[in-house]
Amino acid sequence: FFFLMIRRPPRSTLSSSSAASDVYKRQVSTQSTGVLAVCGMAHIVPESEIAEAFAFFDQAKKTFLDKKEFATMVRSLGQTPSNMELDQAVNRYAPDGKIDLVTAKQLLEDIYACTEKRGKDKLADAFQVFDPEHTGKIPFDLFKNEILTKIGEPMEEQELADTLANLESSGARDGDDIKYAVFVDWIWDQLRN
């Protein structure tokens, strides 16, 4: 399933425990002259922007990022890998958990390859599995209590709260149901912005 696409808040609403991440995202959105090209789900980020983000998150000037710093950097650049995808990639390229700039670029290529396979139709298809009668709706309780909490990798409380807030913002909530096509369209619009 591709529910990890809805589990990670879009770049525009990404919340982070790091105030630095929020500052960086604002700086990138106002200062960057590079254009992010949409490639399926993945945004190809120019090398100069990767280097700028790396330097920003390497506040101690130690010339490497740890896994948590790298994950925050990746998401601040608009990427949407799951924690499992990030862990696998980091373990492959940086088993010691120290990610230098060259390794960060390799990791991002790996992440692009993984996330570019995702698509709007695949996300809609994933919702349709829970709509065997093709009504275009799924029960809100099923979404909240089953899909988000029991399928795929576990969500943290803040991720669950962010996802439910995004659902409300999307206008997809219809009483006790969710019009999943509306939610999918909203998610896709957020990811392209």
Side-chain angles (χ1 to χ4, degrees), residues 20 24 27 47-65 69 73 77 99-101 104:
Y24 178 73
Q27 287 178 347
E47 284 196 29
S48 61
E49 192 171 324
I50 295 168
E52 181 183 341
F54 186 91
F56 184 85
F57 286 100
D58 182 20
Q59 302 243 333
K61 305 295 182 223
K62 56 191 184 295
T63 69
F64 69 87
L65 301 177
E69 292 166 328
M73 181 192 95
L77 291 170
I99 303 156
D100 62 20
L101 180 57

Side-chain angles (χ1 to χ4, degrees), residues 63-74:
T63 69
F64 69 87
L65 301 177
D66 63 28
K67 284 183 180 184
K68 185 176 180 179
E69 292 166 328
F70 179 71
T72 304
M73 181 192 95
V74 166

Side-chain angles (χ1 to χ4, degrees), residues 127-168:
F127 275 107
Q128 288 174 351
V129 168
F130 300 98
D131 180 20
E133 296 179 17
H134 305 288
T135 63
K137 298 179 182 181
I138 60 170
F140 173 78
D141 287 340
L142 172 71
F143 181 68
K144 179 182 176 188
N145 300 321
E146 300 291 325
I147 296 171
L148 294 180
T149 58
K150 296 181 181 174
I151 296 176
E153 63 181 74
M155 290 183 86
E156 296 175 14
E157 284 185 41
Q158 188 60 52
E159 289 177 309
L160 179 62
D162 290 343
T163 301
L164 294 176
N166 287 340
L167 173 67
E168 294 301 326

